[in-house]
Amino acid sequence: MTEQTYLANGNEVQLFEQAYRQRLPVMLTGPTGCGKTRLVEHMGLLLARPVVTISCHDDLTSSDLVGRFIVTGGDVVWTDGPLTRAVKAGAICYLDEVVEARHDSLAVLHSLTDHRRTLYLDRAGEVVQAPENFMLVCSYNPAYRSSLKELKPSFRQRFVTLPMDYLRADREAEVIVAEAGIDPAAAERLVRCATAIRTADEAFHYEPPSTRVLVTAAHLIAAGASELDAAQACVLAPLSSDGAISEGLREVAAAGLAGADSQSPNR
Amino acid sequence: MTEQTYLANGNEVQLFEQAYRQRLPVMLTGPTGCGKTRLVEHMGLLLARPVVTISCHDDLTSSDLVGRFIVTGGDVVWTDGPLTRAVKAGAICYLDEVVEARHDSLAVLHSLTDHRRTLYLDRAGEVVQAPENFMLVCSYNPAYRSSLKELKPSFRQRFVTLPMDYLRADREAEVIVAEAGIDPAAAERLVRCATAIRTADEAFHYEPPSTRVLVTAAHLIAAGASELDAAQACVLAPLSSDGAISEGLREVAAAGLAGADSQSPNR
Amino acid sequence: MTEQTYLANGNEVQLFEQAYRQRLPVMLTGPTGCGKTRLVEHMGLLLARPVVTISCHDDLTSSDLVGRFIVTGGDVVWTDGPLTRAVKAGAICYLDEVVEARHDSLAVLHSLTDHRRTLYLDRAGEVVQAPENFMLVCSYNPAYRSSLKELKPSFRQRFVTLPMDYLRADREAEVIVAEAGIDPAAAERLVRCATAIRTADEAFHYEPPSTRVLVTAAHLIAAGASELDAAQACVLAPLSSDGAISEGLREVAAAGLAGADSQSPNR
Amino acid sequence: MTEQTYLANGNEVQLFEQAYRQRLPVMLTGPTGCGKTRLVEHMGLLLARPVVTISCHDDLTSSDLVGRFIVTGGDVVWTDGPLTRAVKAGAICYLDEVVEARHDSLAVLHSLTDHRRTLYLDRAGEVVQAPENFMLVCSYNPAYRSSLKELKPSFRQRFVTLPMDYLRADREAEVIVAEAGIDPAAAERLVRCATAIRTADEAFHYEPPSTRVLVTAAHLIAAGASELDAAQACVLAPLSSDGAISEGLREVAAAGLAGADSQSPNR
Amino acid sequence: MTEQTYLANGNEVQLFEQAYRQRLPVMLTGPTGCGKTRLVEHMGLLLARPVVTISCHDDLTSSDLVGRFIVTGGDVVWTDGPLTRAVKAGAICYLDEVVEARHDSLAVLHSLTDHRRTLYLDRAGEVVQAPENFMLVCSYNPAYRSSLKELKPSFRQRFVTLPMDYLRADREAEVIVAEAGIDPAAAERLVRCATAIRTADEAFHYEPPSTRVLVTAAHLIAAGASELDAAQACVLAPLSSDGAISEGLREVAAAGLAGADSQSPNR
Amino acid sequence: MTEQTYLANGNEVQLFEQAYRQRLPVMLTGPTGCGKTRLVEHMGLLLARPVVTISCHDDLTSSDLVGRFIVTGGDVVWTDGPLTRAVKAGAICYLDEVVEARHDSLAVLHSLTDHRRTLYLDRAGEVVQAPENFMLVCSYNPAYRSSLKELKPSFRQRFVTLPMDYLRADREAEVIVAEAGIDPAAAERLVRCATAIRTADEAFHYEPPSTRVLVTAAHLIAAGASELDAAQACVLAPLSSDGAISEGLREVAAAGLAGADSQSPNR
């Protein structure tokens, strides 16, 4: 894991910090791989707070968040969960893809997100008042919205919401070069290829390629793969396994990469 | 958490107190963030009773309410749940969003809400007679009514029902100023913005913004955010992530805030 | 809890007693709040048998009824459930809203309701023969009939069925006066209001108001509430939160209470 | 529980005994209350075998049938379930309403119902060979047939099937007199009333009244109830709570009882 | 349980043995009661391998197959399940009606059915290499094919598949005589009766009667039942409880048995 | 298990190695039996890393992957799961048929597949940084795509995707000869038979026969079975149990094997 500089896309850093100063919880929204996790890591450094990350999923119970009784040495001892530990430590607690969690697990967050800023550990019979430097951050991708999984409006209204999006093309190429160390021209061709697919996306209805997959492709190129092979394995193949669609995407991508393999040895 | 004065919207304080005097349970209904939790906290102070709050959710079992056997020191000991503790302490027990609870969990409330005022702890083999100063209060938001989650009529009929609603515009601005310390004119612009959206709500079918989100926005403004950024992050973004709808809401909101950012530095 | 006299509506007391003498189980049917629980309490006093009440719900297992093994002092001990305790004590065991129970939980009742009058505790390896003075009573509200929750015909046929209904208007006012101590004229106005809504019910499809809600309203009036406020909070508000319907009901109720608030201070 | 004589309706006693001699399992089918349980009890006496009855239900696991490990005295001990106990004791094991059981629970019966006559206790690592005098008997009511609950054809084919039905009218009156000790003429009127309803059943689609409910009604009459009250409480009320249907049934029943209450004091 | 000779219907014995020699798993398909279990028992004798039979059902977990941790004497000890025991013993492991098992339970079989022939006990942290003489055999009845329960193609392709079917009429009568010791002419009449029903089956859509039910009927006949009673109880009654269909089947069967009861005393 | 040479079909070996060098996770896609598992085993040898295989299924919990607390000797000890063991050992962790796993179980992989390369053991309170030589490989068969089981786009985008397919006919025959030691001409006939069915597949909609089933058939032939019997048992019978389709497939296959059994004794 290399140290990375976060490249802001708008005023999200400033609003995040204002929310932190006012002890308000923040909700980050935006497509996969647009930098939500990176922003949280960046703010942790900036605000000098540790970040406790919790990946949400269908099976995450409130006990997984707040803690549970564990049998140890023949006795039963309460053990704090990651949320409780984060509250007590005054950390930034980051619930990644919060929409994936079971909604009942989220009820425990209510008293942390309003004026009470309090965590009730009903089973342990304990009440934890959050310190000033505790902050709750959630993220979710609204593109996955389904009737079953939509966050309740009353839950969304508890947060300062910061909508995020992909980087602009030039910033994106900059990130790719910085992270994978490939030729700027090759990075630009990868971005052009991704942009072509993102633009064509409405016809295909697939999740468009993220900055992350371009970085992955760049890593493969840095390891000696051809640009076409790398784009094929990292950008196109994950999009669809339907033959006809894949064919269409490949043409779109080829146009983006046009002239690449005739020109490029990469390293 | 600052001390707050509750601003009554009707005769809810008086009826709540009459119900308490007659030892009748109360049901608060109304939209998210209209002040139900605040009313209960206010009444707790007024009646000098502690308030035990239980956030209801899909996974709340009757054991979570009344208690369970816990293994401790190699032995099994009955441990009262928050409802049992509230009954024994003569507290106000507040079941927030009771409609979220599993209906079978609510059966344990029946004998507490009629002339018996008794809690049967079947598993512990104990019968608890509620003292005079115990009171049960539930809340729910009828806007979330679905066939799966509707409270049974026979359950609703067990309560004195107090319907609540948003504060009037002038009271709402008053609350915002009192809580976030911003300029009264800015508070009024926020209320105007919220009112515009609430009025337009029938076309959009989204949960309208609550007083709580306006207070949150005011906190951001107090921290230095522009009114437009604050309204965007706290009022508009949580409402919808659908591009077309967001666009429409933004116009509605901008009209509400009209002239704001030319005038306002907030601190 | 004050001592109350049960006011019979038909020959239910006589048939209940005949069933008890013949050691037959009884099923009480009828709308919410029409007095089923009161009848059972009354018969317990009349027959000098203790009453063990079990509120049925979706999550009630047969173990909750008959008992389970509990770990205590490092050992495992069988603990009788309320049904088993009632059988052994020769009590009246009252299963309230039996239709709410999981049907598989009810299978354990079969051998108690036919000529065997025996409870098989399969897990404990024990067979309990019910004494002569044990009686099983169930209740349910046929208005909640849904395909998922309907009692099986073969189960219903195991009981002597006593259909119950609301009290006649004059008896109902008598009960209200006896329980809440308000003016007979005000009690009559409340009954008239309820009757008006019950009559209009077919158009609204809501559970009509029970005697219980009228008693609750009377308690509020006794505490100083106006008749309109009390009827609003206890009779109308629990019926519906749909604006249009509420409006319609309010007119119906106002006609019932006509002239009330001009005349009445109630204490 | 009085000693009772079983009145055979066909050759079921003879075929049951032949199946027992050939060590074949038997399946009894027929409507509720037609005497299936009585036949099994009768055959137990005739063949001098104890009867182990298991009421099947949705939640009956194979562990409930064959046994489980129980923690006792800090150690884990295998405890036979009722099926295992019946196999080892060479008893008649009677699975009442087998169609109610979870189908996976029934898989454990396969090896007992074919030439192997063996019970595999996989979890205990034990194999139990059934003795010659063990017999498995199941019952179910084909009227409850639903797609979810139908027994698999391959399961049904493992049994000698004995279809049973209601007694003929004269035998039925005989049973009523024998069990409840009422006047033969009153018994005949009850049977006439039941027959009328059974004949009209196709129009109402309700489970017709069984011999059992007639015996129950007779018991109430013996306790002093009028024939009309007894028929109402035991025969009609369990059939339906739909007003229109109840009305229709009452006319049908009244015709059956015609002239009863003018004639009859019953004791 | 008497010793039985297996009567092969085709080349299934030879192919089964070839698969065993090549250490390939076998899948037996065919209708209920056509002899799949018998073939496996026969091959066990022929190949001198013990047979471990596991009846699959909805609730069979992979732990039931491979083993689990058991608390014993205060400690936790791994206990092999029947599959693990069979692998270690070099037995034939027979999964009867494998299609009934939960599909996730079958994943544990993958590594046993390809070139690895290895059982991974992930929870115990143990890897068991199957000895040369271990063999896995599964069976299922394709007639029960439903979208929910169909085996995955990739699973089916892991096996040598041996389709089986009913015996030819003359072989079937031979089996009946050999197993139940009745008159050959009576056996032939039973087969004729079954054949008539099997032929008519397309109109009735019921699982046709298996050889097993004919043997059962023959046992009843051997015990003194008339051929018509035996055919009724063992062949017809299990097929359907629908009156009209039963009537039709009875005519079909009577034609098959024509002249039987005039001729036959059976012993 | 014999040692085997992997025959590459494209540039998958090269891209796999480049991904390994760049510490990127790999996703293998393609039909059943096309060699995905073999490729992983081959790369393990080539890169000199142990391979830890986990067969995914519906019931695979994240605890099965990362580990759980086990009671041992009266105490509770954390025990690493196979994923955790693989991370710590710097192994290739191979999740076979990852699409079968419960999606919530896969959330634990997120932090392993991005720049963090970290495994969070929330319950053990441990954070494991993956060593350089750890690699995560998943496989799935896109032909099984259903709405319930499709991998989320954001998950697929975390991997370098290598699409795989069947071997070319000549390579496939080569593999068959190498593994089962049969006559090359017979191997070619088997391939021709498979190719015929694969081509006809669009009409039948069944999973086409894999190289694996041809190898299995070849093993049976090597054991003395006729080519027709072997093709029938290993190639055709697993495809379908529908009579009409089987008939059609048999004709297609016979054409492929044409002239086989007149020519061939195999060994």
Side-chain angles (χ1 to χ4, degrees), chain F residues 5 60 65 78 93 100 105 110 195-196 222 244 249 261-263 266:
Chain F
T5 317
L60 188 88
L65 291 173
W78 174 265
C93 187
E100 297 295 318
S105 301
H110 290 183
T195 306
L249 288 173
D261 280 294
S262 54
Q263 309 161 297
N266 314 280

Side-chain angles (χ1 to χ4, degrees), chain D residues 49-72:
Chain D
R49 305 303 324 142
V51 174
V52 174
T53 299
I54 302 171
S55 293
C56 295
H57 53 79
D58 260 25
D59 206 37
L60 188 88
T61 66
S62 58
S63 294
D64 289 330
L65 292 174
V66 300
R68 54 166 54 82
F69 285 104
I70 302 269
V71 185
T72 172

Side-chain angles (χ1 to χ4, degrees), chain D residues 155-212:
Chain D
F155 186 78
R156 289 207 311 261
Q157 293 199 4
R158 291 169 174 279
F159 293 84
V160 173
T161 302
L162 305 183
M164 298 183 67
D165 211 337
Y166 296 120
L167 289 172
R168 290 195 321 266
D170 54 338
R171 311 288 307 255
E172 201 168 27
E174 216 173 303
V175 166
I176 292 168
V177 170
E179 297 213 8
I182 62 165
D183 188 46
E188 271 160 40
R189 280 191 295 271
L190 280 176
V191 171
R192 215 154 57 217
C193 160
T195 306
I197 293 170
R198 289 171 188 157
T199 312
D201 177 53
E202 258 167 76
F204 295 111
H205 298 296
Y206 279 94
E207 172 90 3
S210 66
T211 305
R212 182 191 292 147

Side-chain angles (χ1 to χ4, degrees), chain B residues 50-126:
Chain B
V51 173
V52 173
T53 299
I54 302 170
S55 293
C56 296
H57 54 78
D58 260 25
D59 206 37
L60 188 89
T61 65
S62 57
S63 293
D64 289 331
L65 291 173
V66 299
R68 54 165 56 81
F69 285 104
I70 302 270
V71 185
T72 172
D75 218 344
V76 173
V77 180
W78 174 264
T79 310
D80 285 340
L83 175 63
T84 307
R85 288 200 302 268
V87 171
K88 289 182 176 173
I92 296 177
C93 187
Y94 176 44
L95 295 176
D96 195 12
E97 293 291 346
V98 72
V99 78
E100 296 296 317
R102 288 164 52 186
H103 285 185
D104 51 279
S105 301
L106 301 181
V108 84
L109 300 177
H110 290 183
S111 56
L112 269 178
T113 54
D114 58 26
H115 65 285
R116 292 174 286 181
R117 284 179 61 85
T118 305
L119 184 61
Y120 294 99
L121 307 178
D122 280 354
R123 286 176 189 173
E126 191 185 343

Side-chain angles (χ1 to χ4, degrees), chain A residues 32 38 41 57-59 64 71 73 100 144 207-208 210 212-213 219-220 223-225 229 233 237-239 241, chain F residues 11 15 18-19 22 24 74-76 102 104 107 115-116 122-123 142 145 152-154 156-161 163:
Chain A
T32 307
R38 293 269 164 109
E41 292 180 347
H57 53 80
D58 260 26
D59 206 38
D64 290 330
V71 185
E100 296 296 318
Y144 289 150
E207 171 89 3
S210 65
R212 183 192 291 147
V213 306
H219 277 297
L220 266 198
D229 279 357
L239 287 185
S241 48
Chain F
N11 59 354
L15 282 165
Q18 288 166 343
Q22 291 287 349
L24 298 169
D75 218 345
V76 172
R102 289 164 51 186
D104 52 279
H115 65 284
R116 291 173 286 179
D122 280 355
R123 286 176 188 173
R145 193 172 28 183
K152 293 201 329 184
S154 69
R156 289 206 311 261
Q157 294 199 5
R158 292 169 174 279
F159 293 84
V160 173
T161 302

Side-chain angles (χ1 to χ4, degrees), chain E residues 13 16-17 20-21 39-52 86 89-93 132-135:
Chain E
V13 170
F16 193 111
E17 191 178 345
Y20 174 75
R21 299 287 168 222
L39 171 60
V40 177
E41 293 180 346
H42 178 66
M43 295 310 296
L45 292 174
L46 205 72
L47 301 172
R49 304 305 323 143
V51 174
V52 173
I92 296 176
C93 187
E132 298 255 320
N133 49 15
F134 167 77
M135 183 179 196

